[in-house]
Amino acid sequence: MKILPEISRTLSEYLLIPGLTTEDCTPDNVDLGAPLVRHLVGEEPGIRIATPLVSAIMQAVSSPTLAVALAQAGGLSFIHQNQLIEDQAADVLAVKRHEAGARTGETRHRATVDGEKRLRVGAGINSRDFKDRIPALMEAGADVLCLDSSDGYSVHQARTLEFAREEYGDDVFVGAGNVVDGRAFRYLADAGAAFVKVGIGGGAICTTRAQKGIGRGQASALIDVVQARDAYAQETGVYVPLCCDGGLLNDSHMAMALAMGADFIMLGRYFARLDESPSRKLQIGDQWYKEYWGEGSRRAQNAARYGQRGRMVFEEGVDGYVPYAGSLSDNVERTRAKLTSTMISCGSTNLRDFHRDALLVPVSAESFKQTGAEVQLRHPALDAAE
């Protein structure tokens, strides 16, 4: 047994210190573009996204409809793999056949398109039927694949990456994870991961930490893995992007994750709230909600993802509802505006500079109290009475 001499910290436990805002720090000059896949240091990646947001590999999130809308907004979706291979391939094909210029909602942005001007789309895979699933998804036109697992530090993921590399060489990109420390990152990077997802147990719908006692605060995980990523790039000349997956409760947490060195962010709850997600919209009292469930929940029946031999013995996720939030284009545009504003306050106009120059400070328990102080907003009836 070994105990790390540190506290496991979350993204909520840090604040950014403002940097010098220069004349160049204007919204029009801020570039939120990020590399999606590994590349040689100093060279452009094979796939780049203009908006550093991707949708989670979840039944309640990544439908073809959402994939189209997110690609049009500059991000990318990963069609979930907890379905028949032919059904997943059909979902991918539906996105690739969609007319890239036909927008479901206007945005100011790369849609994310391939060399033939088709919308890009990702797809989840697993380490069991990958020899059949990967060929089908590649034939359907998937641009990037991602291993879907709660714990990616595994020989099974390495074998899946090896198969993809042997069969398709440089024509396939496969992300891997999830991990929470530098050892696991290096293992997957050496195995050929196109990117590595960081985060275990931090998602709003995930109960892995409570059920199995594994995981790490998202901030601590990112700090450790980012150091390993940068060391790996210096040693090998290969940059392997990092995806922050989980532990993100609001837009400021996204800014914090990017400042800490994440290249892009994977979101489940955020996208599940929107019109384009595949779950039902229903009214409870005066409020509208959308259904949302974790891949580790009994509803998902995704036992194989958690190594439970085909049947759910216990759950690592929950089934619930999230407040309905409207269209994807409106929400992504608002998030982009917030991230842009944060970067301007920190004196950065691109994510690479933000990684390098961001100055963060841990916050105390007393700071939490002040941040969370409640204020009673004025009620229209009071104004009328006056």
Side-chain angles (χ1 to χ4, degrees):
M1 179 199 69
K2 179 180 180 181
I3 298 179
L4 295 177
E6 66 169 42
I7 296 174
S8 180
R9 296 191 180 277
T10 69
L11 296 171
S12 295
E13 296 179 74
Y14 290 86
L15 286 173
L16 281 159
I17 302 297
L20 175 64
T21 300
T22 67
E23 293 179 347
D24 292 332
C25 294
T26 65
D28 289 340
N29 285 341
V30 172
D31 178 10
L32 292 176
L36 192 74
V37 297
R38 67 191 289 148
H39 58 92
L40 294 177
V41 174
E43 296 188 3
E44 283 296 306
I47 301 177
R48 186 176 177 84
I49 51 178
T51 299
L53 307 179
V54 301
S55 68
I57 309 169
M58 301 176 70
Q59 299 168 54
V61 176
S62 292
S63 67
T65 300
L66 188 135
V68 167
L70 185 52
Q72 290 174 337
L76 185 131
S77 286
F78 286 89
I79 302 296
H80 78 89
Q81 57 85 26
N82 191 19
Q83 58 180 319
L84 295 175
I85 293 174
E86 54 266 35
D87 292 340
Q88 187 186 20
D91 283 351
V92 168
L93 190 59
V95 179
K96 298 304 295 185
R97 286 178 172 172
H98 193 278
E99 174 56 48
R103 294 179 178 273
T104 57
E106 281 300 317
T107 69
R108 293 172 53 200
H109 321 292
R110 123 210 154 212
T112 306
V113 296
D114 61 21
E116 299 177 29
K117 303 302 180 184
R118 300 177 302 174
L119 295 174
R120 287 197 186 274
V121 62
I125 61 172
N126 59 68
S127 57
R128 294 165 301 281
D129 64 10
F130 61 89
K131 291 184 179 179
D132 297 318
R133 193 172 292 269
I134 290 177
L137 294 172
M138 292 295 290
E139 184 176 352
D143 296 281
V144 58
L145 308 176
C146 184
L147 278 156
D148 181 27
S149 174
S150 61
D151 176 14
Y153 193 12
S154 160
V155 296
H156 306 297
Q157 291 215 359
R159 289 170 183 162
T160 305
L161 293 168
E162 181 181 11
F163 168 82
R165 190 169 61 250
E166 289 178 349
E167 292 293 316
Y168 296 96
D170 295 335
D171 293 331
V172 64
F173 297 108
V174 182
N178 287 21
V179 307
V180 292
D181 68 359
R183 301 170 308 158
F185 166 82
R186 182 170 286 269
Y187 180 80
L188 294 177
D190 285 341
F195 61 86
V196 174
K197 289 201 298 171
V198 180
I200 295 177
I205 208 75
C206 181
T207 60
T208 295
R209 294 177 187 173
Q211 295 286 5
K212 295 169 61 175
I214 65 171
R216 195 176 194 180
Q218 194 68 358
S220 295
L222 275 173
I223 291 168
D224 193 344
V225 179
V226 164
Q227 290 175 347
R229 187 268 316 277
D230 292 345
Y232 189 85
Q234 187 171 13
E235 293 171 22
T236 67
V238 176
Y239 186 88
V240 180
L242 296 181
C243 171
C244 177
D245 180 18
L248 301 143
L249 300 181
N250 52 51
D251 290 352
S252 68
H253 289 162
M254 299 184 207
M256 211 65 59
L258 294 172
M260 288 179 175
D263 294 280
F264 57 97
I265 294 163
M266 179 171 279
L267 299 162
R269 180 187 59 85
Y270 178 95
F271 290 115
R273 309 169 304 149
L274 308 181
D275 286 321
E276 293 82 358
S277 76
S279 63
R280 287 193 307 157
K281 177 184 171 184
L282 65 161
Q283 188 173 13
I284 302 176
D286 295 331
Q287 178 69 50
W288 286 94
Y289 294 86
K290 298 258 325 200
E291 293 179 313
Y292 182 42
W293 61 95
E295 289 302 291
S297 68
R298 197 169 300 277
R299 176 172 180 173
Q301 288 298 305
N302 198 2
R305 183 179 191 264
Y306 296 87
Q308 295 192 38
R309 299 183 179 180
R311 67 187 185 92
M312 296 294 292
V313 180
F314 64 90
E315 296 180 272
E316 290 189 44
V318 296
D319 180 357
Y321 306 94
V322 287
Y324 167 68
S327 72
L328 182 144
S329 61
D330 288 345
N331 280 271
V332 168
E333 197 62 36
R334 186 179 303 114
T335 295
R336 283 186 56 97
K338 291 180 182 179
L339 295 176
T340 296
S341 181
T342 298
M343 289 174 60
I344 287 173
S345 290
C346 293
S348 299
T349 57
N350 61 73
L351 290 182
R352 190 57 56 86
D353 289 349
F354 197 33
H355 295 170
R356 183 194 64 211
D357 299 334
L359 182 61
L360 298 99
V361 62
V363 297
S364 67
E366 190 62 30
S367 294
F368 276 123
K369 292 180 183 178
Q370 291 186 4
T371 300
E374 293 186 1
V375 176
Q376 180 62 53
L377 299 179
R378 291 187 63 88
H379 192 277
L382 295 177
D383 292 331
E386 292 179 357

